[in-house]
Amino acid sequence: MGEVEETQIVTRARLMDLIPGDRLHCLELAIGDDIERRHVVSPLGLKIGRTAPADIVIADSEISRSHCMVTLKDGELYVTDLNSTNGTFVDGVRVTGAAPLPVGSVLQVGKRSLKHEWRTRAEFEQSEGEERDLQRAASYVRALLPAPRHEGPIRADWVYKPSAKLGGDAFGYGQLCEHRYICYLIDVAGHGAGAAMHAVAIANQLRQKSLPNTDMARPELVLSTLNELFQMDDHDGLYFTIWYGVYDARTRRLDYASGGHHAAYLVPPERESAIPMRTRNVVIGAMPAMNFTQASLTVPAGAACYLFSDGVFEIVDRDGQQWAIEDFVAQILQPPAAGSSEPQRLFDAVSEAAGSSRFEDDFSLVVFNFD
């Protein structure tokens, strides 16, 4: 993987060498208000499409495989639609033939927008460095995530798709003792390498299963200790939400507590309903010396637990409607898909609803199945 990234960097550097002067024509692909990626337009131009060998690949079902071509001529940018199904637009006007793409204009393909900006070489190199930092942080977070479990009283599988700007999601699970199992999901507020590394620090404390003076089998005490250890005033203003559960395989009791986090959902084997599991506690790190509460329920044989971050359901669908958690729960209750894991089925369903597999926040979803 490292060799591939290095080759891409060298290729971009050589293309930049073809461009005279200090100013570069850039297309900035954005999600919301954040720049996902900055692309330099060289004399060779850029092809945009849904799959390789396009120069800018955007995973959006409304974008054709070869959608449009951006070219540089006499110091100006032009865009040509390549007979795409849904069309190419500049500032809301559909392109016919080769249309000018002035500095400051917005190129729209499918549901994605790319803005044409002048950037200095120094600005571009800085953004490349920041992107590499995000890639390294995302790789570090992924390396700490547990492997799926296919045996035992609890089986687990997951999907983790970091956003372009990398959020602060992390999760884990494991055996606490012979008959007890823990699971948790953390969501640090904000984006970037700082939020990701804060999530890693918290997850590392939980992975060791040895918080100071804390019974790890009592969720309310775990949240209380984390709240004291990670006060936002001592951690650059960062705070987080968490869902933490402990399952006793002997009694089938699941104890859980959430700190500022939305509910996890327990789905009985008949799959007719989804039972929300949430306790009304404050976010972690906002205020010291807080009391936390926990709750319990009995898990029926064959049930499944769905634990996820808000990036899973905070999307805008193809009709321009903002989803709520209820929209995602409705997807949970749909039948399983043959040949696909349950987390992958749900990721595909959300991607289809949004018209894209890239989201504004991290997509973190863990599904537990109980014998």
Side-chain angles (χ1 to χ4, degrees), residues 48 68 70 79 88-90 101 105-109 112-114:
I48 300 173
C68 63
V70 178
V79 59
T88 301
F89 299 81
V90 175
L101 187 61
S105 61
V106 175
L107 171 65
Q108 184 175 348
V109 289
R112 305 303 299 276
S113 297
L114 300 98

Side-chain angles (χ1 to χ4, degrees), residues 219-220 253-258 277-279 293-297:
E220 85 277 22
R253 191 179 77 182
L254 175 63
D255 298 328
Y256 60 89
S258 55
M277 297 181 291
R278 176 177 179 241
T279 55
T293 60
Q294 69 179 48
S296 303
L297 54 67

Side-chain angles (χ1 to χ4, degrees), residues 48 64 67 72 187 247 272 333 338 348:
I48 300 173
S64 300
H67 196 97
L72 179 62
D187 188 354
Y247 176 68
E272 294 178 352
L333 295 176
D348 292 342

Side-chain angles (χ1 to χ4, degrees), residues 6-26:
E6 182 179 347
T7 301
Q8 290 175 338
I9 292 167
V10 170
T11 300
R12 289 197 191 100
R14 289 174 179 168
L15 290 176
M16 287 175 62
D17 289 342
L18 299 175
I19 307 172
D22 183 57
R23 288 282 180 174
L24 306 170
H25 288 277
C26 294

